[in-house]
């Protein structure tokens, strides 16, 4: 990232280690802030539970201290959280496509539902592959939701 930044900037000497440190910490803060809150919003069923979960997560020492670092476990936390969100979307068979008007027929609704489940499965596969490359412990955290997903598919 530093080489790319320095190559395109006419002020290459301004890219000091301190600037890179603050840039990466800011990036991780924004990623953890947006992605964690979005995932909590998707996972919590009621507004009351959602507000409580957001309050507890936002006021947590671990969130403020460790999730803003560029450690691999901070990235792993985001990947595990979004893998759980994708698993939940597959289990609920929710349509996550935005359209201007509702589908005209049941066949169109089923088509959208199939595409949504297919997209969630593809994103889950990407997250699993990226998580395995990030840390070797990732499959251990993905195992409970994966077993639950396999049980869901065996019933269907």
């Amino acid at each position: 990232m530093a080489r790319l930044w320095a190559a395109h900037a006419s002020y290459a000497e301004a890219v000091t280690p301190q600037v890179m440190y603050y840039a990466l910490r800011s990036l991780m803060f924004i990623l953890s802030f947006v992605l964690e809150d979005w995932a909590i919003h998707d996972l919590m069923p009621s507004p009351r539970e959602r507000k409580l979960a957001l309050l507890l997560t936002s006021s947590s020492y671990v969130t403020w201290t460790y999730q803003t670092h560029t450690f691999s476990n901070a990235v792993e936390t985001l990947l595990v959280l979004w893998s759980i969100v994708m698993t939940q979307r597959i289990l609920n068979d929710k349509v996550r496509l935005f359209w201007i008007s509702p589908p005209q027929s049941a066949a169109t609704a089923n088509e959208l539902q199939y595409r949504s489940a297919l997209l969630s499965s593809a994103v889950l596969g990407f997250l699993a592959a990226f998580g395995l490359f990030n840390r070797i412990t990732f499959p251990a955290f993905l195992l409970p939701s994966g077993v639950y997903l396999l049980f869901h598919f065996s019933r269907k």
Side-chain angles (χ1 to χ4, degrees):
M1 184 173 164
R3 287 183 189 166
L4 182 65
W5 191 354
H8 291 295
S10 60
Y11 49 90
E13 61 274 353
V15 183
T16 63
Q18 187 177 12
V19 170
M20 284 304 299
Y21 172 77
Y22 286 120
L24 289 173
R25 287 291 294 263
S26 299
L27 175 72
M28 285 304 293
F29 171 73
I30 291 169
L31 280 177
S32 69
F33 183 71
V34 170
L35 292 178
E36 283 178 11
D37 288 357
W38 187 8
I40 288 172
H41 185 4
D42 273 7
L43 290 174
M44 293 291 119
S46 71
R48 183 174 180 220
E49 291 175 355
R50 194 176 303 136
K51 287 178 186 177
L52 180 63
L54 285 173
L55 174 72
L56 292 175
T57 303
S58 299
S59 63
S60 170
Y61 171 77
V62 173
T63 302
W64 281 99
T65 306
Y66 296 112
Q67 288 302 109
T68 58
H69 284 85
T70 55
F71 297 146
S72 62
N73 55 353
V75 176
E76 183 182 30
T77 302
L78 290 174
L79 292 172
V80 168
L81 189 59
W82 274 97
S83 296
I84 293 171
V85 169
M86 289 299 128
T87 303
Q88 192 66 29
R89 285 183 182 180
I90 292 168
L91 291 174
N92 291 342
D93 291 329
K94 286 186 178 176
V95 177
R96 291 286 174 179
L97 298 175
F98 297 101
W99 56 75
I100 295 173
S101 61
Q104 300 300 323
S105 65
T108 308
N110 288 339
E111 175 80 16
L112 289 174
Q113 192 170 8
Y114 172 74
R115 287 184 187 169
S116 177
L118 189 63
L119 178 65
S120 295
S121 298
V123 170
L124 181 61
F126 172 77
L127 291 173
F130 185 67
L132 185 61
F133 280 114
N134 183 45
R135 281 178 64 106
I136 195 68
T137 58
F138 181 76
F141 293 111
L142 196 61
L143 187 65
S145 63
V147 169
Y148 192 69
L149 194 60
L150 287 175
F151 179 70
H152 170 76
F153 285 140
S154 70
R155 287 186 305 167
K156 223 175 181 184

